[in-house]
Each structure stands twice: as structure tokens, then as C-alpha cells.
């Protein structure tokens, strides 16, 4: 028996054993572990996206009925949907959690870990986001003119006002390079790609 495990007469390794005999593969992971691993491994998404996907993973873990691949049934997906609703989440957030689950279920299908999706035939509405609340000119002026006690607070205020006037997201504002401005018809502007959508 020791001769059979002695790979190429070299040193024995449990990693080699697992590789040869199919243990330690994705198939042996729980769905929760698989999803966590795949989120960490991905280089095609921003860290902010990974953070949102980890929130979904935590919610799925707290739900408790979907841990292993065999738990991925339509009945459990429906129960997960009900669980999310009982948490008082908005429809758009519930839709996002289902969308994230589908990403990793489809990933597992592509890797031939499972053969079908429990979401087949399960429809969920995306919902509508709430209309945004914006500052009127009087409120913005009040923020602009408030007397603040420290330089750091004044800087934060100025950045916020700049965001209000430009519509830049915080992440995009933080990566603006003011040496890369352009002028067109007497107007100076910064052109860059959004961090979230590239």
C-alpha cells in the first residue's frame, strides 16, 4: 500500500493524495464556503462589490437552510425570499441578494459542481428605488456658509459641496487628478472613468 501512495517514488503528500482521489475539491465544500472562496478569488470586481456580496453571504448563513449544494432547492430559495422579507429589507435589496446568489450558483454550474439552478421558474421583481432627496439652493448655501471650527471639517464640507455641484460619487472624487483637467470653450473639466462602472 505504501508503494501505491508513493507518487513517482517521491515524498508522500496529502495534497497529491487529495488531488488524485478527488478529495479537497470544490465538490466537497459547502455552498457557503464555496461562495466565500469565489468572492475572495475574483479579480474582476471591485472591493466594494465584494463587500456587498459578503453581506449577502452573511444573510444566507444567518438564514441557515442553505449551507450545502444539496440545499439549493426551489423550496429553500422561496423560504430564503420570505426570510429576507421578514428582515424588513426593501424589494431592491432582496432582488440584489437573489442576483448575487444566482451569480455563484451559475458559477458552480459552469464548474460542473451542480447541474441546474433552483432559480429556474422562480421570478422576483426588481422593485423600484426610492426617489432621491436633494438639497435645495437655500440648504446648500447654509452648508457652504456654516462656520466650522477646524480645517479638517472645512475640507470635508468643501468636498461635500463639490460633490453636490458635480454629481461625483465619493470614490470618484477621491481619485480625481486635478493635473489632468481639460478646457473646452472656456470651461475647465475633469474627465475620468467611474470606479463603480469603469
Amino acid at each position: 500500500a505504501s508503494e501505491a501512495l508513493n507518487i513517482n517514488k517521491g515524498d508522500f503528500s496529502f495534497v497529491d493524495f487529495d488531488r488524485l482521489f478527488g478529495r479537497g475539491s470544490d465538490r466537497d465544500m459547502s455552498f457557503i464556503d464555496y461562495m466565500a472562496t469565489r468572492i475572495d478569488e475574483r479579480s474582476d470586481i471591485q472591493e466594494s462589490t465584494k463587500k456587498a456580496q459578503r453581506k449577502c453571504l452573511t444573510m444566507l448563513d444567518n438564514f441557515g437552510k442553505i449551507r450545502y449544494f444539496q440545499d439549493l432547492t426551489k423550496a429553500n430559495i422561496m423560504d430564503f425570499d420570505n426570510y429576507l422579507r421578514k428582515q424588513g429589507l426593501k424589494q431592491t435589496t432582496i432582488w440584489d441578494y437573489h442576483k448575487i446568489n444566482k451569480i455563484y450558483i451559475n458559477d458552480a454550474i459552469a464548474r460542473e459542481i451542480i447541474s441546474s439552478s433552483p432559480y429556474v421558474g422562480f421570478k422576483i421583481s426588481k422593485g423600484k428605488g426610492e426617489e432621491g432627496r436633494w438639497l435645495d439652493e437655500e440648504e446648500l448655501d447654509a452648508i457652504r456658509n456654516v462656520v466650522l471650527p477646524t480645517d479638517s471639517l472645512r475640507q470635508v464640507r468643501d468636498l461635500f459641496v463639490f460633490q453636490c455641484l458635480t454629481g461625483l460619487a465619493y470614490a470618484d472624487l477621491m481619485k480625481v487628478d486635478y493635473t489632468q483637467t481639460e478646457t473646452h470653450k472656456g470651461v475647465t473639466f475633469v474627465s475620468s472613468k467611474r470606479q463603480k462602472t469603469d
Side-chain angles (χ1 to χ4, degrees):
S2 62
E3 198 59 36
L5 294 176
N6 190 350
I7 299 165
N8 296 329
K9 306 263 184 206
D11 295 329
F12 171 75
S13 161
F14 280 107
V15 172
D16 290 330
F17 181 86
D18 287 344
R19 180 178 50 77
L20 286 174
F21 295 99
R23 297 179 58 200
S25 69
D26 290 339
R27 294 176 195 279
D28 296 327
M29 285 182 150
S30 71
F31 177 66
I32 295 286
D33 289 341
Y34 176 81
M35 192 169 164
T37 299
R38 291 295 295 131
I39 290 169
D40 288 341
E41 289 174 345
R42 290 185 65 184
S43 60
D44 61 326
I45 56 176
Q46 298 285 336
E47 189 56 42
S48 58
T49 303
K50 289 184 179 189
K51 185 177 178 182
Q53 291 184 354
R54 287 184 189 110
K55 280 185 184 178
C56 173
L57 184 59
T58 299
M59 192 66 76
L60 194 63
D61 194 30
N62 291 341
F63 168 61
K65 287 187 179 180
I66 299 176
R67 295 207 181 278
Y68 300 95
F69 286 103
Q70 64 264 27
D71 298 331
L72 292 170
T73 65
K74 190 177 290 187
N76 281 345
I77 293 296
M78 292 168 68
D79 287 348
F80 181 57
D81 186 69
N82 287 331
Y83 173 79
L84 293 174
R85 292 177 193 291
K86 287 178 183 174
Q87 304 308 305
L89 300 173
K90 295 177 184 169
Q91 184 61 33
T92 51
T93 304
I94 293 170
W95 184 84
D96 278 341
Y97 284 161
H98 284 294
K99 180 180 78 169
I100 292 165
N101 275 347
K102 286 182 197 178
I103 289 169
Y104 293 99
I105 288 169
N106 290 334
D107 186 77
I109 291 169
R111 292 167 182 269
E112 298 181 344
I113 297 169
I114 56 176
S115 59
S116 63
S117 172
Y119 279 97
V120 173
F122 179 79
K123 303 289 184 203
I124 182 162
S125 167
K126 184 174 183 176
K128 293 185 178 183
E130 294 179 4
E131 188 174 317
R133 162 76 168 93
W134 56 87
L135 299 174
D136 62 31
E137 197 65 38
E138 187 176 301
E139 291 168 319
L140 190 56
D141 283 341
I143 292 170
R144 275 187 189 129
N145 299 323
V146 70
V147 176
L148 296 169
T150 66
D151 284 341
S152 62
L153 286 176
R154 287 189 287 275
Q155 186 177 21
V156 168
R157 184 258 326 269
D158 292 345
L159 290 171
F160 176 75
V161 169
F162 188 77
Q163 283 182 268
C164 290
L165 297 173
T166 61
L168 281 172
Y170 178 79
D172 297 323
L173 177 62
M174 290 300 101
K175 68 177 199 165
V176 167
D177 180 356
Y178 291 99
T179 65
Q180 301 298 314
T181 59
E182 299 177 35
T183 302
H184 184 70
K185 295 184 180 179
V187 176
T188 302
F189 63 93
V190 175
S191 178
S192 66
K193 290 184 176 182
R194 289 201 61 200
Q195 179 172 311
K196 183 174 180 180
T197 60
D198 200 30

